Amino acid sequence: MMDCAAKLKEFTAEDLKACTNGFHQNNLIGATQFGKLYRGQIKLGFIGTDQARAVTVKIWDEKSRCITSIHDEFLMVKEEVQFLTHPSINGHPNLVKLIGYCCEKEVKAVVYDLNPWDTLHNLTVKDYLNWVQRLNVLLQFARLLEFLHLQDKPYLVLNINASHIMLDWDCRPKLFDFGHITGGIIGEMTTLKKQIPISIGFVDPFFIAKGGSFWHTSCDVFSFGVILLGLIAKRGLEPVCVEKPHLGLDCLVQYWAKKEYKPNGSLVHRSLQEDWGYVDEDGLAITELGMRCVEFFPRNRPTIKKAVELLEGLLVFQRFGDARPNKREKKFHGIGNHAGGT
């Protein structure tokens, strides 16, 4: 397929059907903008391992309205493999790690070395995350964006939403969608990518106002702010497609927040204020950060580097240092022993 994929396993469509039980509904994690995400199980010895391995399989759906003749699945697979296998990127703890890919006529897919808990969207809907877990997810994801933005040729993700972030069983976020990524080894935004429909729930409104011609790291900061506000306020993090305008803007967390926010006020959900590790000062500080991230004008938003500094300065991290989600938790929201148990 490509030089950078030389060390990857080239799966067949039958291989992927076997490890996902025929892409069975029971193994479906969720939908992405371009396809679907499945749990899989690779058998003993199949890729040279001495034991069976849990994996995640992402397939591109050629029937998706977001994949058209202007940007086919093969090109998207090639670009993702190129990005994730590059030495400057490969191994980052908050990016998925590739095992292999499939580029047959019937199936276009990639296989990740990841035993997933669920997507951030699903876990938010199920209300499975407590306060410390939410803060850790935000801090780790902000650090990932900082890493991407501070490359010699900065990367812009531009398609950040909660359905494109998975959490493993240690509650570590893993970005797995790169359909709009630009910069670095990928290069500048192409005319083809500009024509791909986007999820307006997380996209920078200034970017839209400029007709999609404004490309800047502040676009990712805005999307991060939407995720932040949704997590602390327990508001829905559903991507709203441009093809569903009837849903309206009132359902978007950033518009709700701008109506509800009062200066020096908190948007943290009442139930989260009862969790271990919560202090009022953190609630105020993180609310203010979220509101700054979703400012309309990019110049009014913090850089992601500044956002990381503000998150690292929260009292929960300062007082307890190692505030991992599976350490010293006193209260949970319906989750099992895998995530957050002692």
Side-chain angles (χ1 to χ4, degrees):
M1 177 183 175
M2 59 204 82
D3 292 341
C4 56
K7 296 181 180 180
L8 299 179
K9 169 70 179 177
E10 188 169 357
F11 290 87
T12 66
E14 290 304 315
D15 291 336
L16 299 185
K17 289 178 182 178
C19 78
T20 60
N21 192 21
F23 298 111
H24 196 279
Q25 181 70 21
N26 290 346
N27 287 322
L28 179 65
I29 300 173
T32 70
Q33 184 175 358
F34 303 104
K36 295 178 180 179
L37 203 63
Y38 290 90
R39 301 179 192 277
Q41 189 76 225
I42 293 180
K43 294 181 179 179
L44 170 68
F46 183 75
I47 53 175
T49 59
D50 57 1
Q51 59 184 358
R53 181 184 298 187
V55 296
T56 302
V57 178
K58 182 178 75 175
I59 64 169
W60 279 265
D61 184 359
E62 64 181 7
K63 298 178 181 179
S64 169
R65 285 179 290 182
C66 292
I67 297 180
T68 69
S69 59
I70 63 172
H71 201 74
D72 65 50
E73 313 100 296
F74 178 82
L75 291 175
M76 299 183 89
V77 176
K78 180 178 180 179
E79 194 167 80
E80 179 165 329
V81 171
Q82 180 187 14
F83 172 70
L84 289 175
T85 56
H86 194 271
S88 66
I89 297 297
N90 185 26
H92 192 283
N94 299 116
L95 289 172
V96 283
K97 181 180 180 181
L98 275 177
I99 292 178
Y101 62 90
C102 176
C103 261
E104 296 188 357
K105 182 177 180 180
E106 182 183 356
V107 176
K108 309 292 190 301
V110 286
V111 180
Y112 300 131
D113 186 8
L114 176 63
N115 180 13
W117 181 12
D118 213 328
T119 65
L120 181 59
H121 166 70
N122 290 345
L123 292 168
T124 303
V125 170
K126 297 170 184 176
D127 194 16
Y128 277 6
L129 301 174
N130 57 42
W131 176 246
V132 174
Q133 287 172 322
R134 290 167 194 253
L135 294 188
N136 272 282
V137 167
L138 290 169
L139 177 56
Q140 290 185 54
F141 193 69
R143 285 172 172 166
L144 169 62
L145 292 179
E146 180 185 26
F147 168 78
L148 295 174
H149 290 179
L150 293 180
Q151 296 291 309
D152 291 339
K153 296 181 179 179
Y155 287 97
L156 279 69
V157 182
L158 297 175
N159 197 29
I160 297 169
N161 74 58
S163 294
H164 292 162
I165 301 169
M166 273 186 291
L167 269 61
D168 65 15
W169 287 104
D170 289 321
C171 210
R172 290 174 297 205
K174 307 279 186 176
L175 180 66
F176 68 88
D177 182 89
F178 313 97
H180 284 82
I181 196 165
T182 64
I185 62 169
I186 302 300
E188 297 182 0
M189 176 63 69
T190 64
T191 301
L192 297 179
K193 277 189 180 180
K194 289 180 181 180
Q195 298 178 57
I196 302 174
I198 54 178
S199 300
I200 65 173
F202 295 81
V203 75
D204 181 355
F206 189 83
F207 165 87
I208 295 176
K210 290 294 184 180
S213 62
F214 177 80
W215 311 104
H216 192 267
T217 52
S218 61
C219 297
D220 286 349
V221 172
F222 182 91
S223 302
F224 173 76
V226 175
I227 289 177
L228 184 156
L229 291 170
L231 282 177
I232 68 170
K234 288 193 174 182
R235 302 287 297 187
L237 290 173
E238 183 73 44
V240 180
C241 187
V242 292
E243 297 163 344
K244 301 177 183 178
H246 62 279
L247 292 176
L249 297 178
D250 290 341
C251 66
L252 303 181
V253 65
Q254 59 269 38
Y255 288 93
W256 167 85
K258 289 179 179 180
K259 289 180 181 179
E260 294 293 321
Y261 178 68
K262 302 292 188 298
N264 301 314
S266 171
L267 293 177
V268 177
H269 194 276
R270 185 176 303 174
S271 66
L272 291 173
Q273 296 181 31
E274 299 172 357
D275 275 5
W276 174 86
Y278 179 84
V279 290
D280 290 337
E281 291 90 336
D282 284 351
L284 295 174
I286 200 167
T287 297
E288 181 182 358
L289 172 60
M291 296 307 298
R292 289 179 58 199
C293 287
V294 298
E295 285 278 356
F296 178 80
F297 291 105
R299 66 175 178 269
N300 294 334
R301 302 172 197 158
T303 63
I304 199 64
K305 178 178 175 62
K306 184 63 176 178
V308 168
E309 291 174 357
L310 291 170
L311 288 168
E312 289 176 340
L314 294 176
L315 291 176
V316 67
F317 297 127
Q318 296 298 311
R319 291 179 177 178
F320 304 110
D322 182 2
R324 290 173 298 179
N326 62 347
K327 183 179 179 183
R328 298 177 61 192
E329 289 299 331
K330 294 184 179 179
K331 185 173 181 179
F332 306 97
H333 296 287
I335 63 177
N337 292 331
H338 282 290
T342 55

